[in-house]
Amino acid sequence: MESTIPTGICTSQGVLSFREIHERFSATSYGQTLAKNIRYRFFKPPEVSHAEWERLLGPDVNNLEHHWWSERVMRAFLRSHPHFSREEQEILLLTAVTHDWAEAIIGDIPYGQKTNDEEDDELRLIPQIAEECFGEPLRQPVRQTIEQVLQWKPNLRKTGEGPKLAHAFEVVEQLGFLGTAGRAWDHTRGQGELSELLRGNLQWIGIEIHSAHVPILLRYAETYPAVRRYLLGTRHRITDVLRGESIPTSPTPKGALLHNPETILRRVPETRATWERWLREQ
């Protein structure tokens, strides 16, 4: 039940709710900086405003609201997987509302493009921001999110190995990536008027993310029932993207794609084969 999932953490100065943490951070200069920033910015044509970009792709593309959106997704994930202890739930929910705070200083770096030094900078800055904005009571809990979750991300994404909580948080991030890609793709299939450039960029978001992240989520579907349900619930859209029939005709967005277009398009049939094999086994 929803009431069994923590709504906050206990600190030396009392209970601090996750909503209060997010709202108080939002009012700081760091929060205000993140509120002005958007994710997937290299895909956004210049004539599309930040507000329109958020309307198209949802609150998760706002760098500040991404945190609260992650908290909601994490909460839903925990409702479906009650084997996490209360302490583990608190750590995961706190990670969700704080994990990208450092991007107010170093900026949003797209998935797969952070250097080791940039990863280290983020891990160093998050506790500093927590102490500056909330004092020592939040610094120590935030350090737990780093020690048990965030510091493992680079190795987990490289080798697939990491502790339980790091994997759980990775699942939520992967679901977020695919959710945004799905919204982008849906707009390209709708009847709304889009410029050729915007339609092509939204197609690239859909194609690149689905081809790269569906295999990751398929592996997690073996462990987490919520992932399996999500993939089955969005199977028609995933299949549509991976057909590879809608190849963008607009120029590829400079600096946006993790790999060159030819590599991405070669990966699509490989991912489609893996996806179709998984569907047949369900």
Side-chain angles (χ1 to χ4, degrees), residues 96-267:
V97 296
T98 62
H99 66 282
D100 279 341
W101 279 3
E103 291 184 357
I105 298 174
I106 67 173
D108 177 37
I109 302 170
Y111 179 90
Q113 297 183 22
K114 285 181 184 175
T115 66
N116 290 336
D117 286 344
E118 288 166 339
E119 294 278 5
D120 291 342
D121 285 343
E122 282 200 358
L123 299 184
R124 175 179 54 81
L125 287 168
I126 295 172
Q128 292 180 14
I129 293 171
E131 184 172 16
E132 181 179 340
C133 298
F134 295 87
E136 182 59 31
L138 192 62
R139 180 184 175 93
Q140 187 51 40
V142 164
R143 287 217 58 82
Q144 284 187 289
T145 72
I146 290 172
E147 292 166 2
Q148 299 192 42
V149 183
L150 297 179
Q151 72 175 4
W152 296 94
K153 281 174 62 175
N155 185 67
L156 188 154
R157 290 177 175 176
K158 182 178 180 180
T159 69
E161 297 180 359
K164 174 184 178 182
L165 298 191
H167 280 287
F169 189 71
E170 179 69 4
V171 167
V172 166
E173 292 214 293
Q174 293 293 332
L175 290 172
F177 293 141
L178 207 63
T180 298
R183 288 184 68 121
W185 188 259
D186 286 345
H187 282 297
T188 71
R189 311 303 266 179
Q191 300 301 313
E193 291 187 8
L194 302 175
S195 69
E196 181 182 359
L197 179 60
L198 177 57
R199 184 178 298 276
N201 287 6
L202 294 175
Q203 287 175 323
W204 276 120
I205 292 176
I207 292 170
E208 180 174 43
I209 292 179
H210 278 80
S211 65
H213 295 265
V214 164
I216 298 171
L217 284 167
L218 288 177
R219 292 193 293 272
Y220 279 123
E222 300 175 9
T223 305
Y224 301 107
V227 176
R228 177 179 178 274
R229 289 195 297 271
Y230 179 84
L231 291 172
L232 289 174
T234 56
R235 63 188 181 278
H236 297 301
R237 180 171 64 204
I238 295 172
T239 299
D240 185 39
V241 177
L242 296 178
R243 277 198 189 101
E245 295 176 354
S246 298
I247 306 303
T249 58
S250 60
T252 55
K254 185 176 181 180
L257 300 177
L258 182 57
H259 301 98
N260 65 58
E262 293 75 20
T263 299
I264 295 169
L265 295 177
R266 283 198 302 270
R267 188 173 61 201

Side-chain angles (χ1 to χ4, degrees), residues 17-89:
S17 74
F18 300 118
R19 168 60 78 178
E20 181 181 356
I21 292 171
H22 180 67
E23 290 181 348
R24 285 175 56 181
F25 175 78
S26 298
T28 68
S29 60
Y30 298 116
Q32 291 167 16
T33 295
L34 288 184
K36 297 174 184 176
N37 294 342
I38 54 165
R39 305 170 72 218
Y40 306 96
R41 66 188 185 279
F42 294 117
F43 290 96
K44 186 185 76 64
E47 67 274 11
V48 175
S49 69
H50 282 24
E52 178 66 9
W53 193 242
E54 290 180 41
R55 188 191 68 76
L56 285 167
L57 298 181
D60 198 36
V61 301
N62 178 287
N63 230 14
L64 175 64
E65 293 311 314
H66 164 65
H67 293 85
W68 193 244
W69 184 259
S70 297
E71 197 271 359
R72 291 173 60 190
V73 177
M74 178 61 75
R75 188 168 294 275
F77 173 81
L78 293 173
R79 282 199 299 268
S80 299
H81 301 94
H83 58 280
F84 291 93
S85 70
R86 188 171 185 84
E87 180 183 358
E88 289 172 335
Q89 291 177 345

